[in-house]
Amino acid sequence: MSNEQSTEVKTPVYLDYQATTPMDPRVLEEMLPYFTEKFGNAASRNHQYGWVAEQAVETARERVAKAIGASPKEIVFTSGATESDNIALKGAVEMYRSRGKHLITVETEHKAVLDVCKYLERSGQAEVTYLKPHRNGLVDLEQLEAAIREDTIMVAIMAANNEIGVVQPLAEIGKLCHSKGVLFFTDAAQAVGKIPLDVEAMQIDVMAISGHKMYGPKGIGALYVRRRKPRVRLAPVLHGGGHERGMRSGTLPVPMIVGLGKAAELGVQEMEQEAKRLTEIRERFWKGLNEKLDHIQLNGHPTQRLPGNLNVSFEYVEGEGLMMAMKDLAVSSGSACTSASLEPSYVLKSLGLGDDLAHTSIRFGFGRFTTDAEVDYALAKVIEAVSKLRDMSPLYEMVKEGIDLSTIEWTVH
Ligand SMILES: *Cc1c(COP(=O)(O)O)cnc(C)c1O
């Protein structure tokens, strides 16, 4: 299935697996009956239709729980990681008000965490410390420890970054948080089914999960909420009906939940093999680029990163021109990451990259259905595009002639 060799490559080649993933056909197959013949409301206690739906939901809950080493009762279904992030942060701030209102997070978190933090600050509900990561994207544990205060209630640090793929030292963070009596929340949208996760070994208290980043459907996700040592309590964001132990009201979208469960199960079953294959692809791609191009930079830690993520800055090319020249590749650029704005990526800027390097960065996301032929095609395209743009670049010409650009006095005539 995934290793299929073909010389025919369908364009644009999809290399944006951190933005979303195609659904695995096995997930779709499992979901389909729950749209039609098994359409019951999982909350209907009085008849067969309801019981069938409820059973499917509980099977999915077990599968999601198993994927992260949790127990099924600790899984709450939501509409996605954005909602889970909202419940985690707003729910904790409301519930633990008497303990304090300090949160700690990192500048490179997803907007679904940062924007909630901003909102909580603006409305006076929380005080937030934003940690600056190392140049390689990793959190500084000493800096984290120093930031923890008497009134700190929660630390929010993502498992794997959606732009640069960096995987944080979760077990160390969890250990530190628990030694200080602070809750550890991790947004694991990019990590579930991709890298091993264990909420016990890593001492994670709350976790956000998304379906469509792991070959499941869009519009479904989950929140893991620890039940013991410590028992975490989160105030709900949505009220009405008391579904999901009161933490998330609303009729359960049974087909989507079934899909999330299947996606989680497949992710765990195929993780080892898939991680190995994607790591090989990533390394082959990086090596291929380096064989033909100089002055390129890898963004994020070289090995502590998602198997299928490569984020590269190409010096001495113009960012927009680069994207234009790569129309046959569906990739994400460091200048387009923040919605439609041309602002360079805040993640890359936080690592200390200048605007120029951030603007010429490209995120290559490989995944389950990426073929070797697609990788070869993409590699050739990138090399061709960058070489062509550099042939037109006076700056690159000077660099090749050995001129140190920092010594030049630029004058405007
Ligand atoms: C995609 C993503 C989200 C948002 O998830 P949705 O399910 O689309 O709401 C949050 N955090 C990270 C790290 C993501 O990659």
Side-chain angles (χ1 to χ4, degrees), residues 18 79-82 85 110 112 158 160 162 187 189-190 210 212-213:
Q18 276 88 53
S79 65
T82 301
D85 289 342
H110 193 272
M158 71 203 316
N162 46 298
D187 176 342
Q190 294 288 345
S210 174
H212 73 99
K213 303 290 174 69

Side-chain angles (χ1 to χ4, degrees), residues 69-89:
S71 87
K73 278 188 177 158
E74 296 174 309
I75 302 298
V76 173
F77 291 114
T78 67
S79 65
T82 301
E83 186 186 335
S84 297
D85 289 342
N86 271 266
I87 302 173
L89 293 159

Side-chain angles (χ1 to χ4, degrees), residues 239-275:
H239 301 84
H243 307 74
E244 298 295 274
R245 291 186 291 116
M247 250 181 284
R248 207 284 191 173
S249 286
T251 302
L252 296 179
V254 180
M256 316 289 271
I257 290 172
V258 167
L260 178 69
K262 185 65 181 175
E265 185 186 67
L266 291 172
V268 172
Q269 276 169 9
E270 303 187 355
M271 184 186 298
E272 206 179 307
Q273 207 187 351
E274 195 162 286

Side-chain angles (χ1 to χ4, degrees), residues 17-19 81 85 106 108-111 113 136-139 156-170 173 184-197 202 204 207-208 210 213 282 300-301 303-309 346-347 363:
Y17 275 80
Q18 276 88 53
D85 289 342
V106 189
T108 47
E109 288 292 302
H110 193 272
K111 285 288 181 189
V113 165
N136 63 12
L138 288 174
V139 165
I157 297 180
M158 71 203 316
N161 187 278
N162 46 298
E163 282 190 42
I164 52 174
V166 167
V167 174
Q168 298 294 349
L170 299 176
I173 296 168
F184 175 30
F185 159 52
T186 192
D187 176 342
Q190 294 288 345
V192 180
K194 316 283 174 55
I195 57 169
L197 290 173
M202 293 168 167
I204 294 163
M207 181 193 284
S210 174
K213 303 290 174 69
R282 183 188 82 205
H301 194 281
T303 54
Q304 258 175 267
R305 67 190 303 133
L306 289 173
N309 173 284
Y346 68 91
V347 171
R363 177 182 72 185

Side-chain angles (χ1 to χ4, degrees), residues 8-279:
E8 277 291 300
V9 167
K10 183 172 156 278
T11 56
V13 172
Y14 191 74
L15 295 176
D16 208 8
Y17 275 80
Q18 276 88 53
T20 193
T21 56
M23 221 165 66
D24 192 302
R26 293 168 291 182
V27 170
L28 178 63
E29 199 184 324
E30 191 115 342
M31 289 168 67
L32 284 176
Y34 294 93
F35 285 106
T36 50
E37 70 261 35
K38 300 179 181 177
F39 61 85
N41 186 327
S44 296
R45 288 280 152 77
N46 304 313
H47 50 69
Q48 179 86 18
Y49 294 94
W51 303 330
V52 168
E54 190 190 16
Q55 184 51 53
V57 167
E58 292 320 310
T59 299
R61 204 185 298 282
E62 281 164 26
R63 287 170 168 176
V64 173
K66 196 167 172 222
I68 59 168
S71 87
K73 278 188 177 158
E74 296 174 309
I75 302 298
V76 173
F77 291 114
T78 67
S79 65
T82 301
E83 186 186 335
S84 297
D85 289 342
N86 271 266
I87 302 173
L89 293 159
K90 292 177 184 168
V93 163
E94 185 176 334
M95 195 58 89
Y96 295 98
R97 199 173 283 160
S98 63
R99 213 188 270 180
K101 60 174 191 175
H102 183 234
L103 301 171
I104 299 173
T105 188
V106 189
E107 288 178 357
T108 47
E109 288 292 302
H110 193 272
K111 285 288 181 189
V113 165
L114 293 178
D115 285 355
V116 178
C117 287
K118 293 278 181 235
Y119 159 75
L120 290 169
E121 279 184 301
R122 237 182 9 248
S123 56
Q125 297 175 75
E127 287 170 20
V128 186
T129 298
Y130 299 88
L131 302 176
K132 193 169 197 60
H134 288 297
R135 172 91 190 189
N136 63 12
L138 288 174
V139 165
D140 185 325
L141 291 168
E142 280 175 27
Q143 200 195 348
L144 170 59
E145 181 165 11
I148 296 175
R149 320 192 305 213
E150 274 300 307
D151 61 341
T152 305
I153 55 175
M154 181 176 260
V155 167
I157 297 180
M158 71 203 316
N161 187 278
N162 46 298
E163 282 190 42
I164 52 174
V166 167
V167 174
Q168 298 294 349
L170 299 176
E172 280 97 325
I173 296 168
K175 191 172 165 207
L176 174 60
C177 289
H178 277 201
S179 76
K180 303 274 186 183
V182 174
L183 298 176
F184 175 30
F185 159 52
T186 192
D187 176 342
Q190 294 288 345
V192 180
K194 316 283 174 55
I195 57 169
L197 290 173
D198 185 319
V199 292
E200 288 309 321
M202 293 168 167
Q203 302 188 46
I204 294 163
D205 298 309
V206 182
M207 181 193 284
I209 299 169
S210 174
H212 73 99
K213 303 290 174 69
M214 56 161 165
Y215 312 98
K218 292 173 182 60
I220 186 71
L223 184 67
Y224 155 76
V225 186
R226 178 176 284 280
R227 296 251 296 176
R228 46 191 293 275
K229 293 187 187 176
R231 181 183 184 89
V232 178
R233 298 181 63 232
L234 299 174
V237 171
L238 290 185
H239 301 84
H243 307 74
E244 298 295 274
R245 291 186 291 116
M247 250 181 284
R248 207 284 191 173
S249 286
T251 302
L252 296 179
V254 180
M256 316 289 271
I257 290 172
V258 167
L260 178 69
K262 185 65 181 175
E265 185 186 67
L266 291 172
V268 172
Q269 276 169 9
E270 303 187 355
M271 184 186 298
E272 206 179 307
Q273 207 187 351
E274 195 162 286
K276 185 169 171 282
R277 191 180 79 89
L278 293 179
T279 302

